[in-house]
Amino acid sequence: MKTHTTSFESLDKVELRALCDRLLTDDSNAIEECIAFIEAESRGVWHGRARAMMARRLKHCRLSQPQRTRVVRAILNRFVGGHFSEQFKDQLRLALRLAPERAFTVARSCQGAAAGHIRRYATWILSHETLNKS
């Protein structure tokens, strides 16, 4: 997995919003930049919220299969590791849309996690399993 942490650390709210806004036009370069940003482990101001906005907007973009795989892997790895911040459910919703069975499998494996926040999110993910089958 590529991480561009150093190049993303300096991005501020205005720059991140501008990047997110480029997703509204299905800009292929913006899609790639946003996926790389979601993969990155940056912790700057507004970075968690930017990932949430990107996730909401990426649901409406055309993603290649490799891009889908990368973004789902990044989100589910963050979930398993318990390293997520505000509005993480938006990222999980993207993973549920792109790869529901993978998300359910990972969530089932986390039901016994030591960290309570991981167990709570696993339960939340699995609550969508019955909705997905209807």
Side-chain angles (χ1 to χ4, degrees):
M1 172 172 76
K2 295 179 203 172
T3 57
H4 305 279
T5 304
T6 54
S7 63
F8 290 127
E9 288 294 337
S10 65
L11 293 178
D12 64 17
K13 179 180 178 177
V14 172
E15 293 166 317
L16 289 167
R17 282 196 69 106
L19 177 57
C20 290
D21 287 347
R22 290 174 46 211
L23 290 175
L24 297 172
T25 63
D26 211 14
D27 176 332
S28 60
N29 290 327
I31 291 169
E32 188 57 38
E33 287 178 54
C34 287
I35 290 171
F37 183 79
I38 289 172
E39 289 176 309
E41 294 297 330
S42 63
R43 297 269 184 214
V45 174
W46 214 74
H47 285 205
R49 291 183 179 172
R51 283 187 185 88
M53 181 179 281
M54 290 171 186
R56 290 190 303 271
R57 292 184 178 179
L58 282 168
K59 288 192 293 189
H60 306 287
C61 294
R62 289 183 301 259
L63 304 179
S64 68
Q65 189 55 51
Q67 288 172 325
R68 289 170 174 255
T69 300
R70 286 173 48 214
V71 76
V72 168
R73 181 185 316 119
I75 293 166
L76 294 179
N77 284 346
R78 191 167 282 129
F79 162 60
V80 169
H83 306 294
F84 45 84
S85 59
E86 68 271 353
Q87 300 180 354
F88 185 62
K89 283 184 181 176
D90 289 306
Q91 291 180 61
L92 291 174
R93 283 183 187 97
L94 178 60
L96 283 165
R97 174 171 287 190
L98 298 178
E101 292 308 317
R102 177 78 181 123
F104 299 142
T105 299
V106 170
R108 279 191 289 278
S109 74
C110 290
Q111 286 180 300
H117 66 292
I118 296 173
R119 289 193 312 272
R120 284 189 297 278
Y121 275 81
T123 300
W124 181 84
I125 292 168
L126 292 171
S127 74
H128 292 78
E129 193 167 23
T130 54
L131 298 173
N132 196 50
K133 291 182 180 178
S134 345

